[in-house]
Amino acid sequence: MRPSPPSCVDEARSRHTCTNRVIGAYNAEMERYGQSFDAYVAAVNGYGRKLAAYVEAVNAYVQCEQRVVMPSPLIEG
């Protein structure tokens, strides 16, 4: 979950009246959030690649089974 900005941050005007300690802590939280988000995106992309490879393997298996069961001139598609 994205960290909420401290009350001393005015996001609408892109300004803040925070102390260095407060803004530093917020920036550190945002950095951790960014790293977590990047890791999540990488995991989702990895899952998508694995799913695509699985679908490709299923397709190859179906084609193989079709060749075993029926002569190629009778197979549709």
Side-chain angles (χ1 to χ4, degrees):
M1 206 170 189
R2 185 177 186 265
S4 299
S7 60
C8 55
V9 172
D10 183 354
E11 288 185 300
R13 293 189 177 114
S14 297
R15 296 180 182 161
H16 73 85
T17 57
C18 306
T19 63
N20 287 340
R21 189 180 119 267
V22 170
I23 201 67
Y26 175 65
N27 286 337
E29 282 184 68
M30 287 300 291
E31 180 67 27
R32 285 190 296 276
Y33 168 76
Q35 290 170 350
S36 294
F37 184 79
D38 290 346
Y40 171 75
V41 169
V44 169
N45 287 335
Y47 176 74
R49 285 189 296 275
K50 287 179 182 179
L51 187 58
Y54 174 76
V55 169
E56 198 173 306
V58 167
N59 188 37
Y61 174 75
V62 168
Q63 290 176 8
C64 179
E65 286 296 311
Q66 285 177 335
R67 285 190 296 272
V68 169
V69 174
M70 297 171 25
S72 60
L74 299 177
I75 298 175
E76 293 181 13

